[in-house]
Amino acid sequence: MMSHDNRNFENYSKLPLFSGIKVGDLQSMLQCLGCQTKSYKKNDFIVLSQEKIKYVGIVLNGTIHMIHEDAWNDKSIFAIIKKGELFGETFSCGTDLTSCVSFLAAEKTKIMVVPFHKVLHSCTKSCPFHYQLIENMITMLADKNSQLIKKLQITSKKTIRKKIMTFLSFQSQHAKSSCFFLHMTRTELADYICADRTALARELTHMKKDGLIDFDHNRFKLL
Protein backbone atom coordinates (compact mmCIF):
# COMPACT_ATOMS: atom_id res chain seq x y z
CA MET A 1 0.00 0.00 0.00
CA MET A 2 0.94 3.66 -0.19
CA SER A 3 3.53 4.87 2.30
CA HIS A 4 2.52 7.82 4.50
CA ASP A 5 5.99 9.40 4.36
CA ASN A 6 5.46 13.06 3.39
CA ARG A 7 8.70 13.02 1.41
CA ASN A 8 7.16 10.43 -0.90
CA PHE A 9 4.14 12.62 -1.59
CA GLU A 10 6.39 15.61 -2.26
CA ASN A 11 8.26 13.54 -4.87
CA TYR A 12 5.01 12.23 -6.36
CA SER A 13 3.70 15.80 -6.76
CA LYS A 14 6.55 16.48 -9.21
CA LEU A 15 5.35 13.76 -11.61
CA PRO A 16 3.54 14.96 -14.77
CA LEU A 17 0.41 12.95 -13.91
CA PHE A 18 0.01 14.91 -10.66
CA SER A 19 0.94 18.33 -12.00
CA GLY A 20 -1.13 21.13 -10.45
CA ILE A 21 -2.23 18.99 -7.48
CA LYS A 22 -1.12 20.13 -4.03
CA VAL A 23 0.79 17.71 -1.80
CA GLY A 24 -2.01 17.65 0.80
CA ASP A 25 -4.66 16.95 -1.85
CA LEU A 26 -2.43 14.36 -3.51
CA GLN A 27 -2.17 12.32 -0.33
CA SER A 28 -5.96 12.23 0.05
CA MET A 29 -6.48 11.46 -3.64
CA LEU A 30 -4.04 8.53 -3.80
CA GLN A 31 -5.59 6.96 -0.73
CA CYS A 32 -9.09 7.49 -2.17
CA LEU A 33 -8.06 5.84 -5.45
CA GLY A 34 -6.42 2.90 -3.68
CA CYS A 35 -3.04 3.36 -5.37
CA GLN A 36 -0.20 0.98 -4.57
CA THR A 37 3.56 1.03 -5.09
CA LYS A 38 5.48 -2.04 -6.25
CA SER A 39 9.19 -2.73 -6.79
CA TYR A 40 10.87 -4.97 -9.37
CA LYS A 41 14.39 -6.22 -10.01
CA LYS A 42 16.11 -5.95 -13.38
CA ASN A 43 14.60 -8.32 -15.98
CA ASP A 44 11.47 -8.94 -13.90
CA PHE A 45 8.26 -9.03 -15.91
CA ILE A 46 5.71 -6.52 -14.62
CA VAL A 47 3.01 -7.63 -17.04
CA LEU A 48 3.06 -10.60 -19.40
CA SER A 49 1.38 -10.67 -22.79
CA GLN A 50 -2.23 -11.94 -22.60
CA GLU A 51 -2.64 -10.75 -19.01
CA LYS A 52 -5.46 -8.34 -18.22
CA ILE A 53 -4.48 -4.84 -17.09
CA LYS A 54 -6.97 -2.96 -14.93
CA TYR A 55 -4.68 -0.15 -13.88
CA VAL A 56 -2.55 2.65 -15.24
CA GLY A 57 1.07 2.32 -14.16
CA ILE A 58 3.44 5.20 -13.42
CA VAL A 59 7.21 4.72 -13.35
CA LEU A 60 8.50 6.21 -10.10
CA ASN A 61 12.10 5.06 -10.61
CA GLY A 62 13.88 2.97 -13.23
CA THR A 63 12.98 2.04 -16.81
CA ILE A 64 10.40 -0.28 -18.37
CA HIS A 65 10.51 -1.81 -21.85
CA MET A 66 7.28 -2.52 -23.69
CA ILE A 67 8.22 -5.61 -25.68
CA HIS A 68 6.70 -8.13 -28.05
CA GLU A 69 8.01 -11.64 -28.66
CA ASP A 70 6.69 -13.90 -31.39
CA ALA A 71 6.50 -17.70 -31.40
CA TRP A 72 10.15 -17.87 -32.49
CA ASN A 73 11.33 -15.66 -29.59
CA ASP A 74 12.08 -12.75 -31.91
CA LYS A 75 11.86 -9.71 -29.63
CA SER A 76 11.18 -6.09 -30.49
CA ILE A 77 10.97 -3.09 -28.16
CA PHE A 78 7.84 -1.05 -28.82
CA ALA A 79 8.57 1.66 -26.29
CA ILE A 80 11.03 2.62 -23.55
CA ILE A 81 9.13 4.02 -20.57
CA LYS A 82 11.08 6.19 -18.13
CA LYS A 83 10.52 7.91 -14.80
CA GLY A 84 7.28 9.87 -14.69
CA GLU A 85 5.77 8.16 -17.75
CA LEU A 86 2.70 5.93 -17.98
CA PHE A 87 2.30 2.33 -19.10
CA GLY A 88 -0.63 -0.03 -19.54
CA GLU A 89 -3.04 2.80 -20.31
CA THR A 90 -3.73 1.51 -23.84
CA PHE A 91 -5.35 -1.62 -22.41
CA SER A 92 -6.81 -0.44 -19.10
CA CYS A 93 -8.60 2.43 -20.87
CA GLY A 94 -10.07 0.24 -23.62
CA THR A 95 -12.84 -2.34 -23.84
CA ASP A 96 -10.38 -5.25 -24.10
CA LEU A 97 -8.15 -5.31 -21.03
CA THR A 98 -5.93 -8.08 -22.42
CA SER A 99 -2.39 -6.89 -23.08
CA CYS A 100 -0.85 -7.90 -26.40
CA VAL A 101 2.63 -6.91 -25.19
CA SER A 102 4.78 -7.52 -22.13
CA PHE A 103 6.25 -4.93 -19.79
CA LEU A 104 9.76 -5.70 -18.53
CA ALA A 105 11.84 -3.90 -15.89
CA ALA A 106 15.02 -2.94 -17.75
CA GLU A 107 16.66 -2.05 -14.42
CA LYS A 108 15.68 -1.89 -10.76
CA THR A 109 12.27 -0.25 -11.02
CA LYS A 110 9.54 1.09 -8.75
CA ILE A 111 6.05 1.78 -10.02
CA MET A 112 2.70 3.09 -8.78
CA VAL A 113 -0.48 1.41 -9.95
CA VAL A 114 -3.64 3.53 -10.25
CA PRO A 115 -6.96 1.65 -10.71
CA PHE A 116 -8.33 3.16 -13.91
CA HIS A 117 -12.04 2.74 -13.14
CA LYS A 118 -11.55 4.91 -10.05
CA VAL A 119 -9.82 7.57 -12.13
CA LEU A 120 -12.62 7.61 -14.68
CA HIS A 121 -15.39 7.83 -12.12
CA SER A 122 -14.78 10.60 -9.61
CA CYS A 123 -15.74 10.05 -5.99
CA THR A 124 -18.96 11.43 -4.50
CA LYS A 125 -17.06 14.48 -3.24
CA SER A 126 -16.30 15.56 -6.85
CA CYS A 127 -12.92 16.90 -5.72
CA PRO A 128 -11.45 19.49 -8.14
CA PHE A 129 -8.03 17.81 -8.01
CA HIS A 130 -9.63 14.63 -9.38
CA TYR A 131 -10.58 16.52 -12.53
CA GLN A 132 -7.01 17.83 -12.71
CA LEU A 133 -5.80 14.22 -12.64
CA ILE A 134 -8.05 13.30 -15.57
CA GLU A 135 -6.84 16.34 -17.54
CA ASN A 136 -3.20 15.42 -16.88
CA MET A 137 -3.80 11.84 -17.94
CA ILE A 138 -5.41 12.87 -21.24
CA THR A 139 -2.42 15.11 -21.98
CA MET A 140 0.00 12.26 -21.24
CA LEU A 141 -1.99 9.85 -23.40
CA ALA A 142 -1.70 12.29 -26.30
CA ASP A 143 2.06 12.56 -25.76
CA LYS A 144 2.34 8.76 -25.66
CA ASN A 145 0.46 8.46 -28.95
CA SER A 146 2.91 10.96 -30.46
CA GLN A 147 5.82 8.77 -29.35
CA LEU A 148 4.25 5.68 -30.90
CA ILE A 149 3.70 7.56 -34.18
CA LYS A 150 7.42 8.40 -34.22
CA LYS A 151 8.20 4.73 -33.60
CA LEU A 152 5.98 3.81 -36.55
CA GLN A 153 7.76 6.36 -38.75
CA ILE A 154 11.10 4.74 -37.87
CA THR A 155 10.13 1.10 -38.37
CA SER A 156 8.22 1.80 -41.60
CA LYS A 157 11.43 2.84 -43.39
CA LYS A 158 12.56 0.25 -45.93
CA THR A 159 16.30 0.26 -45.23
CA ILE A 160 18.23 0.02 -41.98
CA ARG A 161 20.11 3.24 -42.83
CA LYS A 162 16.86 5.18 -43.18
CA LYS A 163 15.61 3.69 -39.91
CA ILE A 164 18.78 4.82 -38.13
CA MET A 165 18.69 8.28 -39.72
CA THR A 166 15.04 8.80 -38.74
CA PHE A 167 15.68 7.62 -35.20
CA LEU A 168 18.75 9.84 -34.75
CA SER A 169 16.90 12.81 -36.23
CA PHE A 170 14.20 12.46 -33.58
CA GLN A 171 16.87 12.19 -30.86
CA SER A 172 18.54 15.34 -32.17
CA GLN A 173 15.21 17.21 -32.22
CA HIS A 174 14.49 16.12 -28.63
CA ALA A 175 17.94 17.26 -27.46
CA LYS A 176 17.64 20.47 -29.55
CA SER A 177 21.21 19.87 -30.67
CA SER A 178 23.10 17.98 -33.35
CA CYS A 179 25.14 16.46 -30.48
CA PHE A 180 23.38 14.18 -27.99
CA PHE A 181 23.83 11.17 -25.71
CA LEU A 182 21.90 7.99 -26.45
CA HIS A 183 20.64 6.18 -23.34
CA MET A 184 20.39 2.80 -25.06
CA THR A 185 22.69 -0.13 -25.64
CA ARG A 186 23.25 -1.28 -29.23
CA THR A 187 21.09 -4.33 -28.54
CA GLU A 188 18.25 -2.15 -27.23
CA LEU A 189 18.57 0.15 -30.23
CA ALA A 190 18.47 -2.80 -32.63
CA ASP A 191 15.37 -4.17 -30.91
CA TYR A 192 13.74 -0.73 -30.97
CA ILE A 193 14.20 -0.11 -34.70
CA CYS A 194 13.51 -3.79 -35.51
CA ALA A 195 16.92 -4.60 -36.94
CA ASP A 196 19.67 -7.17 -36.43
CA ARG A 197 22.30 -5.97 -33.96
CA THR A 198 25.24 -6.93 -36.18
CA ALA A 199 23.67 -5.21 -39.18
CA LEU A 200 23.04 -2.13 -37.04
CA ALA A 201 26.67 -1.92 -35.89
CA ARG A 202 27.89 -2.39 -39.45
CA GLU A 203 25.60 0.31 -40.83
CA LEU A 204 26.60 2.79 -38.11
CA THR A 205 30.23 2.28 -39.12
CA HIS A 206 29.37 2.83 -42.80
CA MET A 207 27.42 5.99 -41.97
CA LYS A 208 30.39 7.32 -40.00
CA LYS A 209 32.73 6.64 -42.95
CA ASP A 210 30.26 8.32 -45.31
CA GLY A 211 30.35 11.48 -43.18
CA LEU A 212 26.70 11.35 -42.11
CA ILE A 213 27.32 10.91 -38.41
CA ASP A 214 30.07 10.77 -35.84
CA PHE A 215 29.91 8.83 -32.59
CA ASP A 216 31.99 7.67 -29.68
CA HIS A 217 30.21 4.87 -27.83
CA ASN A 218 26.83 6.49 -27.02
CA ARG A 219 27.71 10.09 -27.86
CA PHE A 220 26.40 10.95 -31.32
CA LYS A 221 26.69 13.91 -33.64
CA LEU A 222 24.76 14.50 -36.85
CA LEU A 223 27.05 15.95 -39.53
Side-chain angles (χ1 to χ4, degrees), residues 80-99:
I80 297 174
I81 307 157
K82 300 178 182 178
K83 181 178 178 179
E85 297 181 341
L86 304 180
F87 71 95
E89 74 287 344
T90 302
F91 309 103
S92 62
C93 298
T95 54
D96 185 359
L97 304 179
T98 305
S99 176

Side-chain angles (χ1 to χ4, degrees), residues 115-164:
F116 181 70
H117 70 281
K118 290 190 176 182
V119 174
L120 195 61
H121 304 288
S122 61
C123 64
T124 54
K125 298 178 182 179
S126 297
C127 307
F129 51 77
H130 195 128
Y131 296 110
Q132 181 66 54
L133 174 70
I134 295 173
E135 182 179 324
N136 292 344
M137 184 169 288
I138 291 173
T139 300
M140 294 184 72
L141 290 176
D143 291 342
K144 190 73 168 288
N145 283 337
S146 178
Q147 293 176 16
L148 293 175
I149 289 172
K150 289 180 180 178
K151 160 81 172 179
L152 182 60
Q153 288 179 286
I154 294 166
T155 55
S156 65
K157 301 301 181 183
K158 294 183 179 180
T159 67
I160 187 170
R161 174 170 290 202
K162 289 183 178 180
K163 288 182 179 182
I164 295 170

